[in-house]
């Protein structure tokens, strides 16, 4: 989404209030017991004595079932299938309802494929778009796009806090004005991570390229929470943003998995 004359971010401020300088916002069966001498078979010999001893000691212990790698709670098969095989970090943002603007965020990692996904940070309180979530985001709908998107680029007004992703420090991340409920927006873009929805990978979050066209919106970021809903971004507290920036590792091909609980459960 853009607000002329300068690039806009599909982010935290109402369009009528904020003039942005930025682009967007099985166990097996137990073995059979050896047969015990039946009536009329005569005296027990060595073999039948051994069989009796085995029977009296109980069945052999069954092998433990093989444990499947842990999956991410709340994600259905369709959503899980959208996570690339090479991805080993997933930032999962789950909205309360399709039309709600509050959500919860948890960072998962699967460093050991045998163990599967493990939570490494969170849950953290988060905000999303004012009107909730959508499978077909368009500019100005005030909804966050559901789906799985790579996280490759970061930036902000403040100096790099130790980000592992490429970080663009730039004064154009400065913002002021008020949010939907009158909350101040200053500092919202002190730290951001670009969500690769309708954008080109490998460039600053400020880049305005929109491969799907301007009508599909853009500038969808993870940024510092200002205490209210966004125009389509995901926001988390400032200290959590610093933690996230220091944890997201490009070598682990991180993605964000975002949407309301029902959508993510598909």
């Amino acid at each position: 989404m853009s607000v002329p004359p300068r690039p806009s971010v599909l982010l935290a401020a109402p369009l009528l209030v904020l003039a942005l300088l930025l682009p967007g916002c099985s166990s097996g069966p137990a073995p059979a017991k050896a047969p015990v001498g039946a009536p009329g078979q005569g005296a027990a010999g060595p073999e039948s004595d051994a069989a009796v001893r085995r029977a009296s000691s109980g069945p052999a212990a069954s092998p433990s079932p093989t444990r499947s790698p842990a999956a991410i709670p709340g994600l259905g098969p369709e959503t899980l299938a959208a996570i690339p095989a090479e991805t080993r970090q997933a930032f999962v943002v789950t909205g309360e309802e399709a039309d709600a603007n509050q959500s919860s965020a948890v960072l998962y990692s699967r460093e050991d494929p045998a163990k599967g996904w493990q939570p490494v940070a969170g849950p953290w309180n988060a905000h999303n778009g004012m009107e909730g979530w959508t499978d077909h985001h368009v500019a100005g709908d005030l909804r966050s796009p559901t789906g799985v998107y790579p996280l490759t680029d970061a930036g902000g007004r403040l100096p790099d806090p130790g980000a592992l992703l490429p970080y663009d420090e730039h004064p154009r991340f400065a913002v002021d004005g008020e949010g939907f409920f009158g909350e101040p927006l200053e500092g919202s873009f002190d730290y951001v991570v670009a969500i690769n929805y309708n954008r080109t990978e490998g460039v600053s979050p400020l880049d305005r390229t929109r491969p799907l066209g301007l009508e599909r919106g853009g500038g969808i970021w993870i940024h510092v929470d200002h205490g209210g809903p966004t125009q389509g971004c995901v926001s988390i507290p400032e200290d959590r943003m610093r933690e996230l920036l220091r944890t997201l590792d490009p070598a682990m091909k991180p993605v964000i998995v975002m949407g309301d609980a029902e959508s993510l459960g598909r």
Side-chain angles (χ1 to χ4, degrees):
M1 175 180 70
S2 61
V3 178
R6 293 177 178 174
S8 63
V9 185
L10 185 55
L11 293 170
L15 296 177
L16 296 178
V17 180
L18 174 63
L20 294 180
L21 301 179
L22 318 168
C25 180
S26 135
S27 293
K33 298 177 183 178
V36 180
Q41 288 186 328
E47 291 185 3
S48 58
D49 288 343
V52 170
R53 287 195 296 271
R54 288 196 298 270
S56 64
S57 64
S62 300
S64 299
T66 301
R67 297 183 62 181
S68 299
I72 298 176
L75 302 191
E78 182 180 321
T79 304
L80 285 170
I83 300 176
E86 66 271 20
T87 288
R88 292 182 288 138
Q89 283 182 328
F91 188 54
V92 181
V93 180
T94 308
E96 295 176 350
E97 296 178 356
D99 298 329
N101 52 54
Q102 294 187 356
S103 46
S104 177
V106 180
L107 180 63
Y108 289 86
S109 174
R110 58 173 175 184
E111 297 185 28
D112 183 349
K115 292 182 179 180
W117 291 104
Q118 304 293 324
V120 294
W124 302 331
N125 292 329
H127 279 99
N128 52 273
M130 176 67 177
E131 301 297 331
W133 302 90
T134 180
D135 289 333
H136 187 81
H137 174 73
V138 295
D141 65 4
L142 301 182
R143 291 180 178 270
S144 298
T146 61
V148 177
Y149 305 100
L151 302 173
T152 57
D153 306 283
R157 183 184 68 86
L158 297 182
D160 184 351
L164 301 178
L165 298 174
Y167 186 91
D168 178 28
E169 179 188 350
H170 202 288
R172 286 176 57 201
F173 285 103
V175 65
D176 56 17
E178 293 183 343
F180 289 96
F181 303 128
E183 72 277 11
L185 299 177
E186 185 177 358
S188 296
F189 308 146
D190 282 356
Y191 303 112
V192 311
V193 175
I195 296 171
N196 288 358
Y197 166 83
N198 199 16
R199 73 178 298 268
T200 302
E201 296 185 11
V203 297
S204 169
L206 294 169
D207 183 80
R208 298 187 64 198
T209 304
R210 301 289 179 256
L212 301 178
L214 295 176
E215 70 279 2
R216 293 299 302 276
I220 308 296
W221 298 345
I222 308 169
H223 64 76
V224 177
D225 189 77
H226 50 77
T230 74
Q231 286 193 13
C233 294
V234 169
S235 61
I236 59 177
E238 183 175 358
D239 57 342
R240 302 311 187 189
M241 274 301 303
R242 285 192 293 266
E243 182 177 350
L244 188 66
L245 284 165
R246 294 169 182 149
T247 306
L248 291 177
D249 185 348
M252 300 181 76
K253 306 296 183 183
V255 299
I256 185 170
V257 183
M258 54 193 283
D260 59 282
E262 183 176 354
S263 295
L264 295 183
R266 292 184 294 212

